[in-house]
Amino acid sequence: MDTSFIIAGKTYRSRLLVGTGKYKDSAETKAAIEASGAEIITVAVRRIDLAKKDEGSLHDILPETHYTYLPNSAACYTAAEAVRTLRLSRELGGWGLVKLEVIGDKQTLYPDIPETLKAAEILVKDGFSVMAYTDDDPVTAKRLEDLGCVAVMPLASPIGSGLGIRNPENIRKIAAQLRVPVLVDAGIGTASDACVAMELGCDGVLLNSAIAKAKHPIQMASAMKYAVIAGRNAWLAGRMEKQELASASSPLEGVLPAKTA
């Protein structure tokens, strides 16, 4: 039996979270996100006017009656900047569930861990439900959980790279040791990557570029939806043990001996 997917006290059916950026227009954004089956969508506070609610706005095409908005602190490079940005999102829309992202390097977009930990502590004390983007270090992941984050989101590989999961054993360890949900975030390139993340024991997957930059985003969104479901079911089923030698699919016990001349 599967367990419920719960983030900050709310239960969701879909374990796939998707971003709202990089699509060619609002129609494609709407269609792709609908095809993904996602219920939580990320929005960059510094890049989108969240206060705008007229026709064609994000609120218009993806209403909050159907989706949980997850404001994030993308493009923030210090704890102070990230905290200020997410506090602004709460002022604009009352959002308490946020994605914390503090970038440490403009080339790799890897997270700045000391600044991330500092921001997480401030935000949790300030009453936010924090989903924290981090590297794939199990020690850092545990520290974020201990600080009170409601979910921890280790990267698979650099943001927007599409390289897939570079350190699967680290992801497996993080998923196994944490009590809060673990979601792979960043680096997913195709459906098989999302499936592997779930097979490693992750509770969910967050992605954007893999859908938005695909040749056919709506079709890829659907593929991601079913990849997450398949990976989760495979993890629950428990894979067979690996072995070095072959093992016949049809047992030899009870087989009639071959006739001899």
Side-chain angles (χ1 to χ4, degrees):
M1 294 293 292
D2 200 359
T3 55
S4 298
F5 180 48
I6 301 172
I7 300 287
K10 184 174 180 179
T11 301
Y12 296 92
R13 297 182 302 277
S14 174
R15 293 175 179 269
L16 175 63
L17 290 68
V18 296
T20 54
K22 301 183 179 180
Y23 295 96
K24 68 179 182 181
D25 53 36
S26 59
E28 184 178 79
T29 303
K30 177 180 173 63
I33 289 176
E34 287 178 347
S36 75
E39 297 167 283
I40 302 177
I41 57 175
T42 65
V43 289
V45 179
R46 302 189 70 186
R47 297 185 179 133
I48 297 176
D49 185 358
L50 292 177
K52 186 179 179 182
K53 297 187 179 182
D54 56 6
E55 185 175 351
S57 69
L58 190 67
H59 289 90
D60 181 53
I61 64 172
L62 300 169
E64 289 188 79
T65 52
H66 293 76
Y67 298 97
T68 294
Y69 277 29
L70 182 64
N72 69 35
S73 55
C76 290
Y77 287 84
T78 67
E81 194 177 13
V83 168
R84 183 169 60 251
T85 298
L86 295 175
R87 282 174 174 166
L88 175 61
S89 75
R90 186 163 63 181
E91 290 297 320
L92 287 172
W95 297 293
L97 178 65
V98 295
K99 177 189 171 184
L100 171 62
E101 184 176 317
V102 185
I103 300 302
D105 177 72
K106 292 184 178 181
Q107 293 298 315
T108 65
L109 298 183
Y110 276 6
D112 184 318
I113 298 306
E115 291 293 291
T116 297
L117 292 168
K118 185 190 303 182
E121 184 173 13
I122 294 169
L123 290 166
V124 169
K125 288 180 178 178
D126 205 15
F128 284 92
S129 295
V130 179
M131 300 176 67
Y133 165 68
T134 184
D135 58 17
D136 59 7
D137 175 21
V139 174
T140 300
K142 187 66 174 67
R143 286 178 179 170
L144 287 166
E145 180 185 56
D146 291 343
L147 284 173
C149 292
V150 299
V152 175
M153 300 186 290
L155 55 80
S157 51
I159 292 173
S161 68
L163 290 173
I165 300 175
R166 311 308 288 173
N167 294 303
E169 286 308 311
N170 280 16
I171 299 296
R172 189 194 306 275
K173 288 175 183 175
I174 292 171
Q177 76 176 6
L178 266 58
R179 299 181 301 277
V180 298
V182 173
L183 298 86
V184 159
D185 176 18
I188 296 296
T190 189
S192 58
D193 298 332
C195 190
V196 168
M198 300 304 293
E199 289 178 346
L200 290 171
C202 291
D203 298 281
V205 173
L206 192 156
L207 55 86
N208 185 186
S209 298
I211 294 176
K213 296 176 74 173
K215 291 182 179 179
H216 303 287
I218 298 166
Q219 189 171 5
M220 182 61 80
S222 178
M224 291 296 185
K225 172 183 177 178
Y226 292 109
V228 168
I229 293 171
R232 179 68 178 180
N233 283 337
W235 181 77
L236 290 169
R239 66 159 292 144
M240 64 172 287
E241 292 185 9
K242 295 180 181 181
Q243 54 190 38
E244 294 184 3
L245 301 178
S247 176
S249 298
S250 301
L252 298 178
E253 290 81 2
V255 175
L256 295 175
K259 291 183 178 180
T260 58

